[in-house]
Amino acid sequence: QVQLVESGGGSVQAGGSLRLSCAASGYTGSTYYMGWFRQAPGKGREGVAVIDSDGSTSYADSVKGRFTISQDNAKNTLYLEMNSLKLEDTGMYSCALDRARPWSLRRLLVSQAFAYWGQGTQVTVSS
């Protein structure tokens, strides 16, 4: 049974930084995709960043240059380093995981077609 548990959310002022973590367990495949997604109040969920098991990444245009997705395979943990946070970065951030397939990372980011999802961690950016 795959489980994803996010942590690291909180409240921060605009311009500040946060690092989110997603601890994964129960997945036995050797190749995979993982990603971060967010949902702001009253809006639909959107892709933030995805990474594959080889370390290739793709980012939403709105976070390029500010956010970094990474993974620690020894710890089975996914990270999202968020810098220069803006008010519009506020939302519930969830991580997701799925088996690798012949899709581009961009397609995964946009389609959000992941089988496994965490419960999310709230990020609130204030002025």
Side-chain angles (χ1 to χ4, degrees):
Q1 179 180 356
V2 175
Q3 286 192 318
L4 303 172
V5 180
E6 301 94 337
S7 62
S11 297
V12 63
Q13 287 192 321
S17 299
L18 280 176
R19 187 176 82 155
L20 306 183
S21 300
C22 171
S25 62
Y27 182 75
T28 58
S30 59
T31 58
Y32 57 84
Y33 295 116
M34 291 194 77
W36 287 99
F37 298 83
R38 67 186 181 188
Q39 186 165 18
K43 295 187 177 181
R45 188 173 60 197
E46 64 173 348
V48 175
V50 296
I51 188 169
D52 67 16
S53 46
D54 291 330
S56 296
T57 60
S58 181
Y59 294 89
D61 291 343
S62 59
V63 306
K64 279 181 183 176
R66 301 187 298 120
F67 290 12
T68 303
I69 188 171
S70 63
Q71 58 195 352
D72 184 332
N73 292 329
K75 296 181 179 179
N76 293 327
T77 301
L78 179 73
Y79 301 101
L80 184 69
E81 186 75 34
M82 305 186 294
N83 298 313
S84 302
L85 282 161
K86 303 177 180 180
L87 297 178
E88 53 265 40
D89 293 320
T90 293
M92 181 67 75
Y93 283 69
S94 300
C95 66
L97 177 149
D98 204 349
R99 301 184 184 280
R101 75 196 80 161
W103 285 22
S104 69
L105 294 181
R106 188 69 183 178
R107 182 180 179 185
L108 281 166
L109 187 69
V110 174
S111 70
Q112 304 182 35
F114 284 76
Y116 306 104
W117 291 82
Q119 293 296 312
T121 185
Q122 177 68 35
V123 172
T124 302
V125 184
S126 60
S127 59

